[in-house]
């Protein structure tokens, strides 16, 4: 069965790359955009849906999706991904769309405040500030620890492994068994290490998934 996803235009090349990835993975892609951008997608393998800027500006959170997105059958949409750079608009649209019964709504935000607000309503977030900061921290090897909620009690931990951390010299498999978590290491520019016998080294970029208390115990 084909999976259907709706993308709210990012108004940059991000959406073009995402369309390619999604179609390669078998998704039927719908794109919601403004009238002046519609022609941009005419040669892409997507369904194009247009909304007026004035409708977006005037819409209230009490509205129904049928008030401004009349040509989209949300019954068949499995995922909605709101990519615009306006986090307030993304969150407003997410709240309205969730009322239509879409199982999974994901929005782009730029602040922790909006991220927390959205996650409380079971709206997943992609925090652009974290993406930028994380990249800078990896490039400059800056010490940091970040916990990101994934679902329920499950979190993702990201941390640079520094010389004062007790996990240096430990095997990935031993730590996974001890803390009941999953671990992947990024080493150097583009090496991915996740073998059970891989030894954790200073300078590794650690990504771990598990319960919050287990992750905090790992890096304590």
């Amino acid at each position: 069965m084909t999976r259907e996803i709706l993308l709210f235009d990012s108004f940059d090349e991000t959406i073009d790359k995402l369309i390619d990835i999604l179609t390669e993975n078998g998704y039927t892609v719908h794109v919601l955009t403004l009238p002046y951008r519609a022609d941009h997608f005419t040669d892409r393998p997507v369904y194009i849906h247009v909304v007026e800027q004035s409708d977006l500006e005037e819409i209230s959170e009490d509205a129904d999706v049928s008030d401004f997105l009349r040509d989209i059958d949300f019954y068949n949409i499995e995922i909605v991904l709101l990519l615009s750079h306006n986090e307030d608009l993304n969150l407003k649209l997410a709240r309205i769309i969730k009322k239509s019964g879409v199982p999974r709504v994901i929005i782009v935000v730029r602040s922790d405040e909006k991220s927390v607000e959205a996650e409380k309503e079971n709206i997943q977030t992609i925090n652009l500030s974290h993406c930028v900061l994380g990249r800078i921290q990896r490039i400059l090897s800056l010490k940091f620890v970040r916990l990101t909620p994934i679902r329920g009690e499950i979190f993702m931990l990201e941390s640079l492994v520094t010389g004062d951390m007790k996990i240096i010299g430990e095997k990935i498999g031993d730590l996974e068994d001890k803390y009941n978590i999953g671990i992947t290491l990024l080493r150097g520019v583009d090496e991915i290490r996740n073998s059970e016998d891989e030894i954790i080294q200073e300078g590794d970029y650690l990504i771990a998934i598990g319960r919050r208390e287990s992750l905090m115990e790992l890096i304590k």
Side-chain angles (χ1 to χ4, degrees), residues 10-29:
S10 62
F11 301 95
D12 59 23
E13 65 181 18
T14 301
I15 193 166
D16 297 310
K17 295 177 180 178
L18 189 53
I19 288 170
D20 291 338
I21 293 170
L22 289 167
T23 53
E24 287 173 4
N25 280 271
Y27 278 89
T28 296
V29 180

Side-chain angles (χ1 to χ4, degrees), residues 5-31 37 40-41 44-46 79-84 106-108 126:
I5 185 169
L6 171 65
L7 308 178
F8 181 35
D9 199 352
S10 62
F11 301 95
D12 59 23
E13 65 181 18
T14 301
I15 193 166
D16 297 310
K17 295 177 180 178
L18 189 53
I19 288 170
D20 291 338
I21 293 170
L22 289 167
T23 53
E24 287 173 4
N25 280 271
Y27 278 89
T28 296
V29 180
H30 299 255
V31 172
R37 282 271 292 177
H40 177 79
F41 300 101
R44 307 307 305 276
V46 301
I79 302 170
V80 172
L81 181 50
L82 303 171
L83 299 165
S84 89
I106 307 167
I107 67 172
V108 168
I126 301 168

Side-chain angles (χ1 to χ4, degrees), residues 42-185:
T42 53
D43 294 329
R44 307 307 305 276
V46 301
Y47 291 95
I48 305 168
H49 307 275
V50 174
V51 62
E52 296 291 341
Q53 180 71 44
S54 58
D55 289 339
L56 293 177
E57 292 172 351
E58 296 171 4
I59 192 171
S60 72
E61 291 183 9
D62 295 328
D64 186 89
V65 288
S66 61
D67 295 338
F68 64 103
L69 301 177
R70 301 173 185 85
D71 64 335
I72 302 178
D73 182 3
F74 281 94
Y75 180 79
N76 294 315
I77 300 292
E78 183 177 338
I79 302 170
V80 172
L81 181 50
L82 303 171
L83 299 165
S84 89
H85 295 281
N86 185 333
E87 64 177 5
D88 292 314
L89 177 59
N90 288 344
L91 183 53
K92 182 190 294 186
L93 289 176
R95 286 168 170 157
I96 296 170
I97 290 170
K98 275 191 70 68
K99 291 189 295 184
S100 70
V102 175
R104 193 174 185 186
V105 180
I106 307 167
I107 67 172
V108 168
V109 299
R110 292 177 173 272
S111 66
D112 289 340
E113 179 184 0
K114 276 291 183 290
S115 184
V116 170
E117 190 177 345
E119 296 286 353
K120 286 180 179 178
E121 300 178 41
N122 202 29
I123 298 168
Q124 291 180 273
T125 62
I126 301 168
N127 194 318
L128 291 184
S129 65
H130 287 182
C131 296
V132 173
L133 290 173
R135 181 62 177 160
I136 293 171
Q137 288 160 336
R138 289 195 294 275
I139 291 172
L140 300 181
S141 297
L142 303 176
K143 183 176 181 178
F144 76 102
V145 173
R146 180 167 65 242
L147 274 175
T148 304
I150 296 179
R151 182 172 297 178
E153 299 179 1
I154 304 302
F155 284 72
M156 178 175 69
L157 167 75
E158 297 174 81
S159 176
L160 184 72
V161 178
T162 54
D164 58 346
M165 296 177 73
K166 65 181 181 181
I167 60 175
I168 290 178
E170 298 281 355
K171 291 183 179 180
I172 286 180
D174 292 341
L175 293 174
E176 288 181 326
D177 291 341
K178 181 178 180 179
Y179 296 104
N180 192 27
I181 59 176
I183 294 176
T184 295
L185 300 175

